[in-house]
Amino acid sequence: MAEHDLAWVPGRFGRPHGTPGLRVHELTDVALASIVARRGQATAAATAAERSFGCRLPDRARVELGHDIAFLWVGPGQWLAVTGLATTDLESRLAGPFAGVAAVVDQSGGRVMLELEGPRVRDVLAKGFSIDLDPRVFTAGRVAATLVAHLHVQLWQVDDAPRYRILVVRTYFASFWRWLGSSAAEFGGEVLESRRYVHTAPAAATQSCP
Amino acid sequence: MSDPSQSARLAAGGLLDRNDVRRFRFDGREFLGYAGDTLASALVANGVRLLGRSFKYHRPRGLLSAGPEEPNALVELRTGARREPNTRATGIELYDGLEAASQNRWPSLHFDVNAVNGLFSSIFVAGFYYKTFMWPASFWEKVYEPLIRRAAGLGKPPLEPDPDQYDKAWLHCDVLVIGGGPTGLAAALAAARAGARVVIADEDFVLGGRALAERLTIDDKPSARWAHDVVAELRSMPDVRVMPRTTVFGAYDGMYGAVERVNDHVAQPPDFEPRQRVWRIVARQAVLAAGAIERPLTFGDNDRPGVMLAGAVRSYLNRFAVRPGRRAVVFTDNDDGWSTAADLLVAGADVAAVVDARNPETVRELARQWPGVESIAGVVTRAHGGHGVREVEVRTHARATHRIPCDLLATSGGWTPTLHLTSHRGARPRFDATRAMFVPGDVAAGLIVAGAANGEFALADALESGHRAGVTAAAAVGCTRAVPAPPAGERESTRGESLWRVRNCRGKSFVDFQNDVTTTDVELAEREGFRSVEHLKRYTTLGMATDQGKTSNVTGLALMAERTSRSIEATGVTAFRPPYTPVTMGALAGHHRGRDFRPTRLPPSHAWAARRGAVFMETGPWLRAQWFPQVGDQDWFVPTCREVLAVRTGVGVCDVSTLGKIDVQGPDAGAFLDRLYANVMSSLAVGRVRYGIMLREDGFVMDDGTAARLAPDRFVITTTTAHAVKVYQHMHFCHQVLWPALDVQFVSVTDQWAQYAVAGPRSRELLRRVLDPACDISNAAFPYMAAGPIALRDGQRGRLFRISFSGELAYEVAVPARGGEALMEALFEAGRDLGVLPYGLEALNVMRIEKGHMTANELNGQTTAHDLGLERMLSGKKDFVGATLARRAHLVDPARPRLVGLRPIDPRARIAGGMHFVPRGAERIAANDQGHVTSVGYSPSLQQWIGLGLLARGPERHGEHVLACDPLRGTETLVEIGSTVFVDPEGARLRG
């Protein structure tokens, strides 16, 4: 089920002919949680993550991939845990491992996640993102908490295709979508069917690079 | 293929595609031109010399230049909603079907009524606005201003909305090269070969600058060919972006602003494409290779159509293969002017004479170098010919005068480096007295000025300078790959003297063509004391309007220096500010116009509410349901009353997700909240909610809300919708700056939760139908001000708070926002037989007024806890933000306006928010003002209008009758002051 209120109609938009410059689909059933280290416990939190999930918490603007969970850097001592929605809510899953070292807050309902790719995806993003997305500067595994069209978003480059994921505040999603549609229109865009979010383990992530 | 109508078109040459004929209209007449033309060159090709009327005197004007400095040839481009006034004909790329019109003339370009202004020019002198229209003052708005606006001014903007799209984007590079002439091309090539990511931008649609306009040789090729080849090489390099039609208009901290005219060269942008795109270019290094602008010479009636800059004449001849005249006189004070004569001869024009203002020896020497050219050591004193030059008056140094018939006068007063971007970040240009020109001052780090912009005018110097700048810029970002030698070009003579004006001329000697500022205006400004360069500009308007004095500033300055016997250096220079050339507002706005001006925030039930036909209103960024009309409803009144009564007698549901929600955790969470809130929060039991207020540091109330304790070390607090962001920022400031030692963590969860108020005597009954039966919400198990986790029948997990804004038995139920719509549907499905209704902001507002609850109307930043009757909430047992200043004597003064309830004595009378209180019988004047009405609503429970207000000594005046008056609309109503609680004062309902 789509996690926003917009009519989500798969198909072309903008320039109708030629290869679409942007392909976009929603990743549904994403579980998210904010992790904020207790005072002076950032290292302990990173260690706790490694023990329980197979990767440390990133200490700079990157994503770290664990066995079944990804951690995105948000700010000093702050992260966002990302995984597929399951019957046990993410906050409960993380509460134990991070007990005493970090506060955990469920955010699964608060964001919409999109995945974007296509030959003109960088040109589309350049219309709103002030950061340099050149492959020499922003590479697979990098994340950025930044502004686009006056909105706070998180951007995450998944692979070198390049494929990006963007987390948008849910209540502002309609405005973001209008910005994306208007920005991609000249290159032509295609909305694809939504897909369930599935965590990609580190080894598999490398293989999935086209 | 050549066309007979283009009578001034040369038979061969130029950078044109003569197979691509383009039709266009100017002032309704149809003409033909070629691909590669500008509107200006195509008009020259068709013998059109008169292009517009001047700003003040409505004098006939033609082309002065061939570039962005053009002051005269401003036209209205396109028609209807796409009409664009004040567009320079020299910058308009000719497209098929182009339509343009001259402006500032009535009824026609050739016969203009306001040209009579020229006859009365003695009153249109500098400062004429200030002098002529001083008295009577009452005439200004009604008579003078409309008159001036009709007579002066330039083109007219369209009134319809712009049908085109505009775009904004970011661009990052190592080296930005501004300007695509020989210098810029050499710089870009060197930087790119060194390995840098290069962007080269030029406002023209073909890169090359003067390499296109002159008959020069670079690297043994014709210069235009060289430019073409370099551009091709640059385009072939993966890390180079070549951007024609792109003006870098401003230099800012860490960034350059540029506008790309993506589709200005077509009649209408293709579907989905923007007309223009604003680029914000982040460049680690930049090379300014903006070139130079030629100065006109100042003599009598130097604004006649057919008086043209010498460099522009060369550009029309060589690049556009058009002859601006058949018989030319060249008037110059420098060697460069002479090459114009040569180009004219090559193009088959007659050169009647080269008039050189320098000493006879220099002129004789040059005459020997240019055999076959008639030369005169002297000056042109006046140009004759109303709609175009017919002859010029020449005075030799030996005081002999001649009249020379001609239809073209090419003038060259030397070149001014284009330094605009160097001064956008504060550096003022510096005057180089030996070369008599402004050169870059202390330019900001990361910007290298090269070529003509740096006063290096000779081709060979410019190429070397550009090359060096490219290498240096690339090296500064660590790109040091070896590059071949710079391109080689000739080193022409750039010798010259500055003739700022020709003395003793008759007629008007224009300094600023666009603003009709003459030498006498500059003299008058000096006589009247406006000697500072800033005063000169404002008093005479020299250097204002769309061209910002590109051809006039230096001359005006030199004349002022001469009048005041100061050096030009001491006279100063006005700073250049962005933009370099005008940028359309649409391009600066990009996507963000109309409903996209700012983002809109939609609560989780928005789509559901829209399906129910809700009427929405904007509250801050949010779009919230105001009321839910049903069939037959004419306005807001009936639905609002219906919704209020539904809650008061049955059950209603309202989306309150817009309240700010913040999750606060950590061992010190309670201590943190105690310091933030005026009342104590740390004593709250787990599973309970408490109302709280926060003060600002100055003791005034900042916000109110609730705090619920979910666990010993975890709270979730709410803020008002209006102050959610401010409170969150305040919390971060307090934690990071004031109390970093507190071990507390907090994140906003406003978006995470869909939260609905379920209110009314039957709310418990409704909730039981959607909650998991295991959740006990009986009054005993879940009393007033309880909070706790719940599960819904569909398995969703959420939270329940027993709090009430309406005063009824009420709950707020929260689920993760993705399930918000499903919950709304479940509630209305389950409550159908209970008559459940959704209620909007209007009903919410009525009910909170009935209960005396406050919103931003009362929490307006000017009220204290005492004013609002909340003084008992100021804890005396602990310190908190605002505690000390809240106790200032005048903040607790009972004479301050304090919160009261009010209702009209006449139950049918209406009251309005913002009405002011004056004592009964007192005059309705500010001195008797005792406060104002903050909120009003029609109470269906009381069947009359009620309100809240802030009244001086209000709580002491219950029962008193006071006049509420609205002096703006001339209405007034006698109201009775009383308690703020109108309904269920004991609060029995919410505890039931």
Side-chain angles (χ1 to χ4, degrees), chain B residues 453-504:
Chain B
N454 199 35
E456 296 162 282
F457 295 129
L459 180 63
D461 296 338
L463 290 167
E464 278 166 32
S465 162
H467 177 84
R468 204 164 47 239
V471 170
T472 309
V477 298
C479 298
T480 53
R481 219 178 286 158
V483 295
E490 55 231 78
R491 185 167 278 113
E492 323 94 302
S493 168
T494 58
R495 184 177 55 161
E497 289 168 16
S498 296
L499 173 69
W500 298 119
R501 62 180 301 186
V502 177
R503 291 171 180 281
N504 304 317

Side-chain angles (χ1 to χ4, degrees), chain B residues 902-969:
Chain B
L902 54 117
R903 62 172 101 189
I905 308 292
D906 173 359
R908 288 160 308 175
R910 207 177 152 163
I911 43 174
M915 281 180 140
H916 280 255
F917 296 123
V918 294
R920 196 177 180 180
E923 214 185 329
R924 287 78 157 155
I925 55 171
N928 293 329
D929 188 2
Q930 295 193 323
H932 74 281
V933 178
T934 54
S935 301
V936 298
Y938 179 82
S939 165
S941 316
L942 278 68
Q943 299 200 333
Q944 75 163 122
W945 285 83
I946 57 169
L948 300 175
L950 293 161
L951 175 68
R953 298 191 179 276
E956 302 163 27
R957 296 167 71 176
H958 287 191
E960 190 179 326
H961 292 183
V962 175
L963 199 62
C965 61
D966 179 350
L968 269 183
R969 292 172 196 80

Side-chain angles (χ1 to χ4, degrees), chain B residues 293-308:
Chain B
I293 291 171
E294 199 167 18
R295 289 188 295 273
L297 286 166
T298 310
F299 54 90
D301 296 330
N302 57 341
D303 65 328
R304 298 288 184 212
V307 179
M308 195 181 276

